[in-house]
Amino acid sequence: MDQVTGSLGTGGADGSGLLMLHTFFDYSIWARDKLLGVIEGIDESRLREMPGEDARGVYGTIYDTLAHLAASEWLWIQRCMGESPMRSPRGEDFANLRVLVGWWNSVHADAVGYLDNINESDLHAELTYVGPDGKRRTRKIWHMLLQVPNHQTEHRSQIATMLGNMGVEVPQTDIVVYLSETAK
């Protein structure tokens, strides 16, 4: 990324920006599934328990943080498509973890479908959306798309900390591990 101009890749027809975004989206779902492999073995009531103040994530529980991750992916793709949802789903909107993950799988498939149907020059288009605070913001599409995997990395690390505090061994989810495991 060019720090001066804020552009992703060359902005040309080589597809490098889209390829990078596809890689980040694939990585994010891979990392999510690594954590879910551990999380799904924990009684759901424990996932919804509020940890001590020093051990909770920004969204409180592991369950609510997972819901936030799914909802934020949905929200940013909605914005890329010109929508401005004023409310995102929350943990209480899903009956259980299975329902939440099912919805998230659908959201992720829609996100990948969106990526599959745009071109490199689309990444540089600017869109204006209204945030939940009522403020209008204008962003380049690639900025909004890059927010999804970056934001998910932030909250996955919070979940990993909460799991560690529960005595659960957390799998490695670094991007280099993903690249090693998925190398062709």
Side-chain angles (χ1 to χ4, degrees), residues 35 152-162:
L35 281 180
Q152 291 190 0
T153 297
E154 174 186 5
H155 290 301
R156 276 194 313 273
S157 68
Q158 293 169 354
I159 290 171
T161 299
M162 289 187 280

Side-chain angles (χ1 to χ4, degrees), residues 107-174:
V107 164
H108 187 74
D110 290 346
V112 171
Y114 176 81
L115 284 170
D116 286 343
N117 286 296
I118 61 172
N119 60 50
E120 193 76 16
S121 64
D122 292 334
L123 295 175
H124 300 279
E126 291 187 341
L127 289 175
T128 299
Y129 65 91
V130 178
D133 59 3
K135 293 183 181 177
R136 296 173 64 78
R137 294 178 178 84
T138 300
R139 302 274 190 264
K140 291 185 180 202
I141 290 177
W142 78 263
H143 293 170
M144 293 192 288
L145 291 170
L146 190 57
Q147 170 62 13
V148 173
N150 182 67
H151 187 73
Q152 291 190 0
T153 297
E154 174 186 5
H155 290 301
R156 276 194 313 273
S157 68
Q158 293 169 354
I159 290 171
T161 299
M162 289 187 280
L163 288 169
N165 288 336
M166 293 170 66
V168 176
E169 187 173 337
V170 180
Q172 291 185 342
T173 59
D174 283 343

Side-chain angles (χ1 to χ4, degrees), residues 35-107:
L35 281 180
L36 283 177
V38 172
I39 290 168
E40 289 172 338
I42 299 170
D43 185 83
E44 192 161 320
S45 64
R46 289 189 68 203
L47 300 177
R48 293 178 185 253
E49 285 176 7
M50 188 64 74
E53 194 167 320
D54 60 334
R56 68 178 65 144
V58 174
Y59 290 90
T61 69
I62 291 172
Y63 186 85
D64 287 336
T65 305
L66 288 168
H68 173 72
L69 286 167
S72 66
E73 184 167 353
W74 170 82
L75 177 69
W76 284 103
I77 297 303
Q78 292 299 304
R79 289 174 176 165
C80 286
M81 295 189 301
E83 301 295 325
S84 293
M86 298 309 282
R87 183 190 182 279
S88 296
R90 294 182 175 91
E92 65 263 14
D93 296 322
F94 302 97
N96 55 48
L97 183 62
R98 183 183 51 76
V99 172
L100 169 59
V101 171
W103 182 74
W104 193 352
N105 287 339
S106 175
V107 164

